[in-house]
Amino acid sequence: MHEDSLIARARQFPGHPEVILGIGDDAALLKPSGQTLVWAVDTMVENTHFLRAMPAAEIGWKLLAVNLSDLAAMNAKPIAALLSLGVPSDISPAWLSAFWDGLEQACQTYQVALAGGDTVRSSELHLSLSVLGQSAYPIQRKGAQAGDKLVVTGSFGGSAAGLYCFQHQLARLELLNRHWHPIPRFKEADLLVAESERQKTHLALLDTSDGLARSLQLICQSNQLGCLVNGYAIPVQNGLAEFPTQAQNWVLNGGEDYELLAALPASTAAQLDPKLFSIIGTLTTELAQLIQYSDQVIDLQQNQWGFQHF
Ligand code: ADP
Ligand code: MG
């Protein structure tokens, strides 16, 4: 696909009422309604974050969805995205077209305008997308207190298991889908904020992009607290029983599940729908960061957890 036809295709994407001018000029024009602006960026590089053999439409979906997960974790709603594409000369028009389809589907689903971008030749496939959103009531990682319950959405380990299944050509569709089709947890973020507002209690929130263990460390560090987590309370993705030797590591450390981790008072946590939320532990004044099983206690400060590039 030629650059001009690529951009022409992007101009068919949906708009957003607060984007005054999208693709076609030197820059986009936005007129947000006066809420706090919330801004995130994520980059996906071939072979580091995805393989070219994966479905291109899913890579397009995921590129937006991972950014939206960051917005959901700030209690923000998206307005518009900018896309920077580094495209090798051997990429096929069919790949680009499918990538575009997946990105468009995500833009439509979550009402994000693709307001512009940049396209360059590159030795590797390099995808970087930035999303601008807004929030009347942004939620940060800090603001938690000792005694708060740690609550998560969804389940863990599915994305790492999906990657393994892809690499080993195991047709486990639910797991593969968990790897390349993350669903940003806007609905759950709304429910957490609504319950906190109803009870006038505090809330700390982040997403679990780099793994649950890493997110637990981050919420502890941000609040200068420790944690005590019941390992058996952590919701495990369906289908992991088939992989008993890897399951625990995938659940704690696999990353890319794009769930939310919240800290909030026990009285508020108790009101949450148990079909959508799991209470996994407590924040403590003791600074240790522990995950307890009957035969094992994992000390998060003894190891480096989560995927860190540097
Ligand atoms: P310039 O040379 O002024 O940077 P370009 O020719 O790169 O302009 O881009 C023309 C228009 O197309 C701009 O509105 C730009 O935002 C948009 N655009 C370019 N590449 C992309 C892309 N990958 N995705 C979305 N919009 C793009
Ligand atoms: Mg220009």
Side-chain angles (χ1 to χ4, degrees):
M1 204 189 279
H2 189 269
E3 185 183 337
D4 287 344
S5 51
L6 200 84
I7 293 171
R9 173 87 176 75
R11 294 178 80 141
Q12 299 161 2
F13 280 32
H16 187 285
E18 282 155 50
V19 178
I20 307 302
L21 181 67
I23 291 172
D25 212 311
D26 297 309
L29 299 176
L30 281 73
K31 222 172 167 79
S33 64
Q35 297 184 347
T36 303
L37 293 176
V38 182
W39 200 3
V41 64
D42 261 297
T43 300
M44 288 172 38
V45 177
E46 178 175 16
N47 299 323
T48 306
H49 303 94
F50 67 93
L51 303 166
R52 208 185 290 191
M54 289 174 171
E58 297 295 6
I59 294 165
W61 172 278
K62 186 169 178 176
L63 183 63
L64 182 61
V66 300
N67 274 281
L68 295 181
S69 175
D70 285 324
L71 259 53
M74 300 300 290
N75 187 36
K77 297 291 184 285
I79 303 172
L82 293 177
L83 169 66
S84 169
L85 272 184
V87 187
S89 53
D90 64 344
I91 201 86
S92 73
W95 194 99
L96 278 175
S97 176
F99 168 79
W100 230 225
D101 288 347
L103 182 64
E104 182 176 25
Q105 200 205 341
C107 284
Q108 250 155 11
T109 303
Y110 297 105
Q111 294 162 39
V112 185
L114 183 61
D118 193 26
T119 311
V120 298
R121 274 273 169 259
S122 151
S123 56
E124 67 200 341
L125 197 45
H126 188 281
L127 315 170
S128 185
L129 186 133
S130 175
V131 176
L132 187 71
Q134 59 190 338
S135 175
Y137 180 28
I139 306 287
Q140 300 181 31
R141 294 171 179 188
K142 62 182 195 202
Q145 294 176 11
D148 280 358
K149 291 297 169 195
L150 291 165
V151 168
V152 293
T153 60
S155 66
F156 291 84
S159 181
L163 175 60
Y164 178 91
C165 291
F166 180 77
Q167 286 168 326
H168 293 82
Q169 299 182 345
L170 303 174
R172 305 289 182 275
L173 296 186
E174 191 181 343
L175 297 178
L176 291 168
N177 223 33
R178 283 291 279 160
H179 182 65
W180 55 47
H181 202 83
I183 305 292
R185 299 305 191 193
F186 287 114
K187 180 181 73 176
E188 290 81 352
D190 285 347
L191 290 169
L192 285 164
V193 171
E195 194 55 39
S196 300
E197 285 188 326
R198 202 173 68 79
Q199 298 204 33
K200 300 197 170 21
T201 49
H202 57 269
L203 173 66
L205 196 59
L206 75 165
D207 81 343
T208 62
S209 42
D210 291 329
L212 179 59
R214 178 78 188 130
S215 299
L216 287 167
Q217 285 187 321
L218 290 171
I219 203 161
C220 288
Q221 281 167 16
S222 302
N223 293 286
Q224 285 152 343
L225 294 168
C227 67
L228 185 58
V229 171
N230 171 5
Y232 301 109
I234 299 170
V236 175
Q237 167 69 39
N238 284 333
L240 257 60
E242 189 185 337
F243 309 97
T245 54
Q246 297 106 315
Q248 189 191 49
N249 185 43
W250 287 343
V251 166
L252 297 181
N253 204 25
E256 297 214 315
D257 289 311
Y258 298 102
E259 299 294 353
L260 297 176
L261 170 63
L264 71 184
S267 56
T268 318
Q271 297 304 314
L272 298 170
D273 180 352
K275 289 194 287 298
L276 295 175
F277 299 95
S278 305
I279 300 175
I280 62 166
T282 308
L283 285 174
T284 57
T285 44
E286 304 273 324
L287 290 181
Q289 301 168 359
L290 305 176
I291 303 181
Q292 245 176 349
Y293 295 87
S294 57
D295 55 349
Q296 180 193 22
V297 177
I298 294 174
D299 181 347
L300 294 178
Q301 284 153 314
Q302 296 299 312
N303 295 294
Q304 187 176 311
W305 293 89
F307 189 79
Q308 293 178 340
H309 289 272
F310 303 101

